[in-house]
Amino acid sequence: MGRGRVELKRIENKINRQVTFAKRRNGLLKKAYELSVLCDAEVALIVFSNRGKLYEFCSTSSMAKTIDKYQRCSYAPVESNQSMHDTQSCYQEYLKLKAKVEMLQRSQRNLLGEELGDLNTKELKQLEHQLDSSLKQIRSTKTQFMVDQLSELQRKEELLLETNHALRKKLEETDAALQSSWATREQNVHYNHHPAAQPGDFVNPLQCNRNFRIGFNAGETGQVTVAATTEQNFNGFIPGWML
């Protein structure tokens, strides 16, 4: 009797799974060796067990060289194709952007009134409608700007009026304080003022008499005689210039 077909699924029994892994691994390594010898092929085999243990076979002297060769043969064409695809995508994007820029430049020239000969009636109507819409938007923006500017000027005017009122009030208070200060000073001067002296209030200590005589006495040679009346002597005091 022949062996039945084995169902390909994970073996739940740990021991049976380990035995099967060992048998199949050895068979796989044997087949890889036979393939490399019989067909003169470069074969590299890498196997990791469920515990992370490494099993490998390489028909050449270096596994690293075989892996490097595999990477050059597998990824280089893919990278080349990807690079070519990216280049084509960039070129297509460039063409789209170039066409868009040319269209915008042509539209700008049309808005300025240039190159209108190539436009048909529909395109001219669209251009007219676009210009009307632009003018309405510009006028609306201008009006709003003027309204905002007027509101700002009114606000500044109110601030200036308030400042002027405050300064006027401060000036009035300063004037009132100065007037009060001057009134107080004049009142103090009036209280401290003495009446002016009259001419008759001062006593003239010297009342000269034209009858007094200054001269030499005939009886006493060399002695100066000074004659004065009683009115010229004040309490027995004779001025020094009369001695």
Side-chain angles (χ1 to χ4, degrees):
M1 292 180 60
R3 296 171 55 185
R5 185 175 180 181
V6 179
E7 185 180 0
L8 294 178
K9 67 177 183 178
R10 183 175 182 272
I11 301 174
E12 299 297 335
N13 192 303
K14 184 178 180 181
I15 297 175
N16 295 337
R17 185 171 63 245
Q18 187 65 28
V19 172
T20 304
F21 173 76
K23 290 180 179 180
R24 296 296 180 97
R25 180 199 64 201
N26 293 334
L28 184 59
L29 293 173
K30 182 180 178 181
K31 293 293 185 182
Y33 171 72
E34 291 175 354
L35 180 62
S36 64
V37 173
L38 295 176
C39 300
D40 194 17
E42 185 176 354
V43 180
L45 176 63
I46 299 175
V47 180
F48 288 96
S49 66
N50 57 356
R51 296 181 180 180
K53 190 175 180 180
L54 173 63
Y55 301 93
E56 62 178 357
F57 167 78
C58 184
S59 60
T60 61
S61 59
S62 176
M63 176 68 76
K65 292 181 179 180
T66 304
I67 294 175
D68 185 56
K69 185 177 180 180
Y70 167 75
Q71 289 179 348
R72 289 197 307 269
C73 296
S74 299
Y75 295 103
V78 176
E79 292 178 355
S80 179
N81 294 333
Q82 184 68 26
S83 177
M84 186 178 296
H85 178 71
D86 294 341
T87 304
Q88 291 178 355
S89 299
C90 292
Y91 183 72
Q92 293 294 331
E93 187 69 18
Y94 162 75
L95 293 177
K96 291 180 181 179
L97 292 175
K98 183 179 179 181
K100 188 174 181 180
V101 169
E102 291 177 354
M103 183 182 66
L104 291 175
Q105 290 177 350
R106 185 172 60 254
S107 177
Q108 183 180 7
R109 289 192 295 269
N110 292 333
L111 290 174
L112 294 175
E114 300 175 357
E115 299 181 3
L116 300 178
D118 297 335
L119 300 179
N120 54 25
T121 305
K122 184 178 180 180
E123 291 175 346
L124 290 174
K125 287 183 178 179
Q126 292 178 355
L127 181 61
E128 183 181 4
H129 179 70
Q130 185 177 0
L131 289 173
D132 291 338
S133 301
S134 300
L135 286 174
K136 289 180 181 179
Q137 186 175 1
I138 292 171
R139 287 167 182 160
S140 176
T141 304
K142 181 180 178 181
T143 303
Q144 184 64 34
F145 176 76
M146 294 178 66
V147 170
D148 295 339
Q149 190 175 11
L150 181 60
S151 300
E152 183 67 18
L153 291 175
Q154 290 177 352
R155 187 181 65 83
K156 289 182 179 180
E157 182 183 6
E158 292 176 357
L159 291 176
L160 290 175
L161 290 175
E162 292 178 359
T163 305
N164 189 15
H165 179 70
L167 291 175
R168 187 183 296 277
K169 185 177 180 181
K170 186 175 181 180
L171 181 61
E172 291 177 356
E173 293 176 356
T174 304
D175 291 341
L178 288 175
Q179 291 178 3
S180 177
S181 177
W182 280 107
T184 304
R185 185 175 298 179
E186 289 178 358
Q187 186 176 4
N188 292 335
V189 171
H190 179 72
Y191 287 157
N192 296 330
H193 178 70
H194 296 285
Q198 300 296 328
D201 294 340
F202 296 97
V203 177
N204 187 3
L206 300 179
Q207 296 179 358
C208 298
N209 192 344
R210 297 179 179 178
N211 296 323
F212 75 91
R213 293 174 299 175
I214 301 175
F216 295 97
N217 190 352
E220 298 179 357
T221 304
Q223 184 178 2
V224 179
T225 303
V226 179
T229 61
T230 306
E231 293 178 356
Q232 294 173 343
N233 298 329
F234 300 98
N235 297 326
F237 176 79
I238 299 175
W241 63 273
M242 297 180 63
L243 296 178

